[in-house]
Amino acid sequence: MKILEERILREGKVLPGNVLKVGSFINHMIDPTLTDKMGEAFFERFKNEGVTKILTVEASGIAIAYAAARYFGCPMVFAKKTQTSNVNSNVYSAPVKSFTHGKTYNVMVSTDYITHEDTVLCVDDFLAVGNALIGLFSIVEQAGAKLAGAGIAIEKGFQGGGDKLRDKGYRIESLAIIDSMEDCKIVFRH
Ligand code: 5GP
């Protein structure tokens, strides 16, 4: 997606540890126009899959997942990272090792919000080694729902998670795939 790639080149900052900082339009401040276009792009790619729910992880996936849900005309569910009183005890949960913090946390979704009747599209801001998506896919499986695949804003292709999941047969659609960030120079896959 050209406008996303241009924005990454203009405002993205490569941090130590192969982390790309995009705080000015995804992770801290949100650009509603760009976010809306990302939602539309996911709809274009998955519109024939009968998607009934969009699933993401709090917090940075929420805006993009919401934009997608608007186009699909379906609800968006975000997996929670901490147990709260808003989530009853009946939950699907999966451990996810955080790429940026190194800690492992449980992601949880109430059994009320995804069922075996759903077809789920998982959406996230980044795909690195794939742990977050594997956690979301596990939740979809626990619910007995059908998985349409995953829509990702920025995939760091050189970290391998996306291709590993594609090799397993999952449909992973990323709007920008970075093949290298060496010496702070961002190179996209086309
Ligand atoms: P994975 O689980 O695929 O290794 O990493 C994906 C998750 O880690 C995403 O949910 C995202 O929040 C976070 N993440 C991974 N790499 C980056 C990055 O380079 N920049 C930012 N801002 N988040 C990242």
Side-chain angles (χ1 to χ4, degrees):
M1 188 180 183
K2 198 155 184 286
I3 54 166
L4 177 60
E5 292 184 356
E6 286 169 356
R7 199 67 182 266
I8 293 168
L9 290 176
R10 210 164 61 230
E11 295 174 27
K13 292 194 176 55
V14 180
L15 302 184
N18 280 325
V19 171
L20 177 67
K21 194 174 168 201
V22 288
S24 62
F25 57 98
I26 291 181
N27 291 130
H28 193 24
M29 180 159 72
I30 286 166
D31 178 333
T33 305
L34 177 64
T35 305
D36 184 75
K37 285 194 163 30
M38 293 196 274
E40 184 179 23
F42 292 134
F43 177 69
E44 281 307 317
R45 292 172 192 222
F46 287 97
K47 65 184 171 195
N48 297 322
E49 302 301 321
V51 171
T52 62
K53 296 267 164 69
I54 307 291
L55 175 64
T56 189
V57 192
E58 65 177 354
S60 295
I62 290 178
I64 303 169
Y66 170 83
R70 289 274 298 166
Y71 280 91
F72 283 95
C74 72
M76 181 274 282
V77 179
F78 58 95
K80 289 180 172 276
K81 288 178 179 168
T82 48
Q83 183 90 48
T84 70
S85 54
N86 297 335
V87 178
N88 67 29
S89 54
N90 299 322
V91 293
Y92 311 118
S93 78
V96 171
K97 184 164 186 232
S98 161
F99 179 85
T100 42
H101 302 111
K103 285 186 291 196
T104 297
Y105 54 89
N106 273 317
V107 291
M108 278 166 288
V109 170
S110 164
T111 55
D112 292 339
Y113 300 139
I114 301 183
T115 75
H116 66 279
E117 292 176 343
D118 282 313
T119 297
V120 179
L121 173 63
C122 298
V123 166
D124 207 1
D125 57 344
F126 274 91
L127 169 56
V129 300
N131 292 330
L133 271 191
I134 289 167
L136 291 181
F137 290 176
S138 164
I139 282 173
V140 175
E141 194 186 335
Q142 288 170 50
K146 188 173 165 216
L147 179 69
I152 300 293
I154 306 173
E155 175 179 341
K156 291 182 293 177
F158 61 91
Q159 289 173 324
D163 290 333
K164 222 181 279 171
L165 290 167
R166 289 183 187 98
D167 286 347
K168 286 188 177 159
Y170 293 106
R171 183 169 173 205
I172 313 290
E173 295 278 350
S174 299
L175 303 181
I177 303 183
I178 297 173
D179 261 343
S180 157
M181 308 202 297
E182 261 171 59
D183 301 324
C184 298
K185 189 173 175 292
I186 294 170
V187 178
F188 293 105
R189 183 186 300 179
H190 285 125

